[in-house]
Amino acid sequence: MLRLHSLRHWRLPAADGSCSRAYHAVTAAGSDTGQLLRRSLEASLVRPGVGQSSGLFWERHRKGGYQTEQRVSTKQLIVDGLKELRTEFALFRQEWKEKLECDPLVVFRPGEIDVAFGFDSQPELDRWVVTTDKDHGEGYSQATLERSPAGYGVFHGTLESRVPMDGRIKRAGYANIKSLRVRKSFKREAFYDWSQYNTLVLKVRGDGRSYLINLTAEGYYDILWNDIYHYVLYTRGGPHWQVAKIPFSKFFLASKGRVQDQQGPVPLNRITNVGFSVGSRGGHEGSFRLEFDFIGLEFDPSHQEEFAYEMYRQQKYIVAT
């Protein structure tokens, strides 16, 4: 008996958008095997798989493929929830206490600095998360955040640009610290409201390297999950402390490391995280050290600038990258 075969061919874009991949299926007449294969491949356009960081239309995870999923039984979830119930009620009571006793600050005095992040105790250091390329199997850099003998926070480690021999990673050598997402009681996400300030104040002691300051303003939709406002922190090294005052108008918008065409002021009422990054690009390998005394906020009445960068009117059909 002669069976007829048909060759099906279609092309799908690659996950990283760099090139497209062609798929073929040889099926016998009356068989739906090829059709099943085709449906499974087309589904990945809309619903990315476990190993993919993003699909064609939307992203599943906020961390873009760097999430760590741990399966926990229902019983364990109930036990953990009951353990945290007392803490959540205490936080809920504190929220209402602050709301009822709050005396809003009407007059801002020049030169007064409100400390947003301190580093003089271990609970303050627990508000930060340290990540390097080694944590994701993409390099060999190491970093840590700990208290110094003098009682300050020290972000230090070693940067290596050596990449793993897997043919997947092209560049390596970075370290980063990021504050935990501020939240309310019962796991409700919240924002830092810094709209009454216009200057970021840092008292640091560096090693001469340049560090990148990251202000995350995470949005609701997936296209806004990676909106981060950056500015460079230049350290001079040496044994002396330096106080860096950076107006929020100097920060520029980037997403996934790409500076955006459409810029604008920092939404100071929707800040979710604060972070600092350092890299080995340009041959700057080796050890690094950045010591923190505090991170504060200030209202400077002499600074009237809203946004430091000149913008140009673009045509509507030009899409930012």
Side-chain angles (χ1 to χ4, degrees), residues 257-274:
R258 297 176 180 265
V259 180
Q260 301 298 289
D261 292 337
Q262 295 289 345
Q263 294 285 332
V266 181
L268 295 175
N269 61 334
R270 294 185 61 86
I271 300 297
T272 57
N273 308 88
V274 180

Side-chain angles (χ1 to χ4, degrees), residues 12-32:
L12 294 177
D16 56 358
S18 58
C19 61
S20 58
R21 300 178 181 177
Y23 294 87
H24 307 268
V26 180
T27 59
S31 173
D32 59 348

Side-chain angles (χ1 to χ4, degrees), residues 121-285:
S121 63
Q122 189 60 40
E124 293 287 346
L125 299 183
D126 293 338
R127 299 171 61 186
W128 299 84
V129 177
V130 182
T131 56
T132 63
D133 49 15
K134 184 179 181 180
D135 298 333
H136 308 295
E138 298 180 350
Y140 302 94
S141 301
Q142 298 181 0
T144 184
L145 177 65
E146 59 186 6
R147 289 188 64 195
S148 67
Y152 302 107
V154 181
F155 175 45
H156 66 99
T158 304
L159 298 176
E160 291 190 32
S161 59
R162 179 167 55 98
V163 299
M165 304 298 292
D166 56 2
R168 182 173 59 95
I169 306 301
K170 297 180 180 179
R171 291 183 296 272
Y174 73 88
N176 176 78
I177 58 172
K178 183 179 181 180
S179 64
L180 295 175
R181 175 71 184 266
V182 60
R183 68 175 184 88
K184 300 178 181 179
S185 57
F186 301 105
K187 308 300 182 181
R188 293 175 298 163
E189 295 182 344
F191 301 91
Y192 291 110
D193 187 2
W194 296 346
S195 55
Q196 65 268 35
Y197 305 99
N198 59 10
T199 305
L200 181 68
V201 184
L202 306 100
K203 185 176 181 181
V204 296
R205 180 161 55 186
D207 54 1
R209 288 179 178 267
S210 297
Y211 295 82
L212 194 64
I213 307 174
N214 311 313
L215 300 181
T216 306
E218 186 177 305
Y220 178 78
Y221 297 101
D222 58 351
I223 197 174
L224 307 175
W225 285 350
N226 299 282
D227 283 2
I228 303 178
Y229 292 82
H230 301 282
Y231 197 74
V232 181
L233 172 64
Y234 300 98
T235 63
R236 58 180 176 227
H240 302 291
W241 290 90
Q242 66 179 95
V243 177
K245 295 187 177 183
I246 306 173
F248 288 117
S249 61
K250 303 294 184 182
F251 285 80
F252 56 90
L253 174 63
S255 180
K256 294 185 177 180
R258 297 176 180 265
V259 180
Q260 301 298 289
D261 292 337
Q262 295 289 345
Q263 294 285 332
V266 181
L268 295 175
N269 61 334
R270 294 185 61 86
I271 300 297
T272 57
N273 308 88
V274 180
F276 297 85
S277 302
V278 61
S280 64
R281 192 171 185 178
H284 297 88
E285 295 182 317

